[in-house]
Amino acid sequence: MGYRQISDYSIIGNDDRCALVGTNGSIDWCCFPTLASSSVFGRLLDAEDGGHFSIHPTDSYDGEQRYYERTNVLETSFETSSGRATVTDFMPVSERDRRDGFQHSLYRHLRCEGGQLTIEVDFKPRPDYARADTTVENRQKGIVVNADGGEQLHLQQFGPLSVEPLEGRAVGTALFEAGDDVWFVLQHGHHHPVSPSECRQDEKETIAYWRRWAADIEDRAADIADSEPWYEEIVRSGLVLKLLINEGTGAIYAAATTSLPEEYGGRSNWDYRYNWIRDAKFNVQALYNLGQENAAHQYFEWFRDILRTDPAEIQPVYGVHGEEELTERQLDELDGHRFSTPVRIGNAAADQRQLDIYGAIVQAVYETLRHDEHLDNEDWKAIRRIIDYVCDVWDEKGCGIWEYRDEARHYVHSKLLCWVALTRGIELAEYSQDDVDTERWETERDALRKAIEERGYSEAAGSFVQHFETDETLDATCLLLPIYEFLPAEDERIQATIDTVMDELLTDEGLVHRSRGPDTRSEGPGAFLFCSFWLVDALVLADRVEEARDVFTNVLDHIDSPYLLSERIDPRTGEFYGNFPQAFSHIGLVNSAIYLRCASGDASLEHDPLTEDGLQPIFRT
């Protein structure tokens, strides 16, 4: 079997675990015991040897997917010429205390809904990214998988179809008639005997858990969507973000996968199973706007630990459990998705110098303090250290938000975020109990503004540009200038920048490319979804609301139910690229919906960007 399109997959999971299930009923990506662990099923990255767990009819069929309403419980339906069947997939979660290892499990329930059809099951685990020597045996407790290093899996099965070991996998086929059903329960690192009645109870509790959680965001999503037709997309975005949040630390995975290519045949295949500092400001904004104050508070606590680190030692990216060592390695044993190599685990961006991270941290703190958090003396000392450090280094070069690995440059976005750090620091000082001398901060802030305005804007391009060393390379990050209040949206240079982005980076299909110019690497065919949402926000601020709505609806036209977003979409073919599902894209969708809602002038959202003076950036003074 070959590779499927990324858009053919949907996600299931629970706290710190996820799996991708294709419309063909195959689990082609799943890592245990955490989302950032090595894969057990990895056909997404190697069609032959990566491993999978597939359930599907033997005859030709049509496959579709849907989530049980307001849950992350997935149903894949099959229809053949002779019958209909469904597979329900979920990772268990409950609000009551359960046994150790309860969540380290995956449940699959196959049932024949009508007629009759023959079903084939192929269970082919390949632990440790298919590198481990693995045995699959039938024992009294069910199918037992042992891999080098001690990793163990147990598969229990109940019903008229059983799988038997065959050359490193377990396979089985059976004829199903209406009403027949079978349960498969996969447990990692533990074995707890279950029964069909327990499986049904665990499914019931999992559905109830998700619906209780979704109830907390439904009213907010309805307020955000108002009369617009994107309520379901907002709710699904919230459910995806919930899957990507580690409940133990509050940190957020950027995506559930590694090495899904930005373009086929290129080398831009990265591991996104980490928490990026640059996402902080947008994460806080989205969580509050979805009414997830507890999640925002926990995320803030995660930042407190980083905040108190020596500024020179703060990394652009961390593991969600606080890991600092993210050594990047290539897995030459895997072919890569659609043969796009290398396959990477770890991320060398952790060792890069990205000056924008300081503004992201201070802005996230600033935004959180607008609600009901507070800074203690140690927090304030840490912020002051960061601001002093920014004064020392803002005029140096770095790798930038896009983490280019070649030449370091004076990226305009990095300078903007340094300006944000200084500006917010000065504002925070006004509310502190200390008598803080901000003279140097103000001096450096003014110097930064002058540098950005004089060296970051190109009359020839009619736009702010990507970095100080160019007059023509464009970058969608310049759309953030009015969002961060560096300049008002009505400023003629901002208006010109928006127009240039729409002329040069916006496709006919309404999607925005990340950058364009003679000194940028190939962006491939895909447009970067978060950049499209930045354009929506900038247009709303510029009082160009109908244009903003057009861009927003054009993005949504490229996704179908169940409304999962990748990093990029090819405007011509609609094909998804990059790691999936992408938190950054879902956060952008939620936040842009907020802007559009507030542009109506009658918004009553608690955390909206509407003030008495009119529409303002969400991150505002």
Side-chain angles (χ1 to χ4, degrees), residues 276-281 284 299-300 302-311 313-316 318 354-369 375 379 382-383 386-387 390 417 420-421 424 428 484:
W276 266 259
I277 296 295
R278 66 162 182 253
D279 300 352
K281 54 194 179 296
V284 169
Y299 192 59
F300 181 77
W302 185 79
F303 261 89
R304 269 202 163 105
D305 292 335
I306 295 173
L307 185 67
R308 296 176 181 183
T309 305
D310 179 348
E313 301 298 323
I314 295 178
Q315 299 178 181
Y318 293 84
Q354 297 179 25
L355 297 176
D356 58 311
I357 62 176
Y358 303 108
I361 291 173
V362 177
Q363 181 65 67
V365 171
Y366 176 85
E367 175 68 9
T368 306
L369 291 175
L375 290 180
D379 294 330
I383 290 175
I386 288 176
I387 304 303
V390 170
L417 268 292
V420 168
R424 297 304 182 231
L428 289 172
Y484 280 117

Side-chain angles (χ1 to χ4, degrees), residues 62 120 192 239-240 274 329 339 356 358 443 557:
D62 292 324
E120 175 183 290
H192 179 84
L239 285 161
V240 171
Y274 305 109
R329 300 187 298 277
F339 308 103
D356 58 311
Y358 303 108
T443 298
D557 285 344

Side-chain angles (χ1 to χ4, degrees), residues 24-297:
N24 62 343
S26 182
I27 296 176
D28 289 347
W29 182 253
C30 181
C31 300
F32 276 117
T34 75
L35 192 154
S37 300
S38 59
S39 64
V40 170
F41 305 118
R43 181 154 65 178
L44 197 65
L45 298 179
D46 193 306
E48 293 297 323
D49 299 324
H52 59 268
F53 185 1
S54 64
I55 302 175
H56 60 79
T58 56
D59 291 340
S60 61
Y61 60 86
D62 292 324
E64 294 184 352
Q65 290 184 324
R66 71 173 185 90
Y67 285 102
Y68 286 13
E69 186 178 4
R70 297 174 290 124
T71 78
N72 281 313
V73 176
L74 180 69
E75 182 179 85
T76 304
S77 61
F78 304 113
E79 184 162 356
T80 72
S81 60
S82 61
R84 302 185 312 279
T86 59
V87 176
T88 300
D89 288 304
F90 64 94
M91 288 183 168
V93 61
S94 175
E95 291 189 331
R96 64 187 176 98
D97 291 337
R98 301 300 300 266
R99 63 184 182 273
D100 290 343
F102 170 70
Q103 289 191 326
H104 293 221
S105 307
L106 190 156
Y107 290 58
R108 312 202 75 185
H109 182 211
L110 167 70
R111 60 188 179 276
C112 181
E113 306 290 355
Q116 63 178 23
L117 66 174
T118 302
I119 298 293
E120 175 183 290
V121 176
D122 186 357
F123 173 68
K124 183 182 177 182
R126 290 295 181 267
D128 192 25
Y129 302 110
R131 296 178 298 182
D133 289 336
T134 303
T135 62
V136 180
E137 301 174 304
N138 195 348
R139 298 184 183 174
Q140 185 175 5
K141 61 180 67 175
I143 299 295
V144 178
V145 179
N146 286 291
D148 287 350
E151 190 166 11
Q152 191 171 79
L153 298 163
H154 296 86
L155 179 66
Q156 300 175 61
Q157 48 193 322
F158 312 98
L161 189 160
S162 63
V163 295
E164 297 295 333
L166 177 66
E167 297 179 352
R169 66 212 303 170
V171 297
T173 305
L175 178 66
F176 278 70
E177 297 183 344
D180 291 342
D181 74 317
V182 60
W183 282 93
F184 294 96
V185 180
L186 180 64
Q187 297 173 340
H188 177 271
H190 72 289
H191 175 254
H192 179 84
V194 295
S195 65
S197 62
E198 288 178 284
C199 292
R200 289 188 289 271
Q201 179 61 30
D202 290 343
E203 179 184 25
K204 182 179 179 180
E205 288 189 26
T206 300
I207 291 171
Y209 170 90
W210 286 117
R211 287 181 174 164
R212 279 192 291 270
W213 185 88
D216 290 340
I217 68 170
E218 284 181 304
D219 289 345
R220 188 63 58 85
D223 287 342
I224 294 171
D226 193 32
S227 60
E228 302 288 0
W230 43 70
Y231 167 81
E232 293 293 342
E233 288 91 332
I234 295 171
V235 172
R236 180 52 51 191
S237 290
L239 285 161
V240 171
L241 290 175
K242 175 64 173 173
L243 280 182
L244 295 176
I245 295 174
N246 179 276
E247 293 183 5
T249 66
I252 302 176
Y253 289 102
T257 57
T258 178
S259 300
L260 293 185
E262 295 180 6
E263 61 177 319
Y264 297 141
R267 294 185 60 83
S268 295
N269 317 316
W270 314 111
D271 194 345
Y272 272 20
R273 296 171 298 164
Y274 305 109
N275 190 120
W276 266 259
I277 296 295
R278 66 162 182 253
D279 300 352
K281 54 194 179 296
F282 302 108
N283 291 342
V284 169
Q285 176 184 330
L287 290 171
Y288 270 119
N289 281 312
L290 287 172
Q292 292 301 297
E293 285 85 358
N294 289 337
H297 295 169

Side-chain angles (χ1 to χ4, degrees), residues 559-578:
I559 58 173
D560 298 315
S561 178
Y563 308 121
L564 302 180
L565 295 176
S566 61
E567 179 183 73
R568 301 160 181 264
I569 295 179
D570 186 331
R572 298 163 299 174
T573 66
E575 187 163 5
F576 286 14
Y577 289 88

Side-chain angles (χ1 to χ4, degrees), residues 262-263 267-270 272 352 401-406 409 466 473 514-524 567-568:
E262 295 180 6
E263 61 177 319
R267 294 185 60 83
S268 295
N269 317 316
W270 314 111
Y272 272 20
Q352 285 187 344
I401 186 176
W402 307 131
E403 299 175 353
Y404 295 129
R405 298 191 175 191
D406 41 21
R409 291 191 170 110
Q466 186 184 73
T473 298
R514 191 170 68 178
S515 59
R516 178 168 295 165
D519 51 6
T520 61
R521 70 179 184 217
S522 171
E523 292 293 309
E567 179 183 73
R568 301 160 181 264

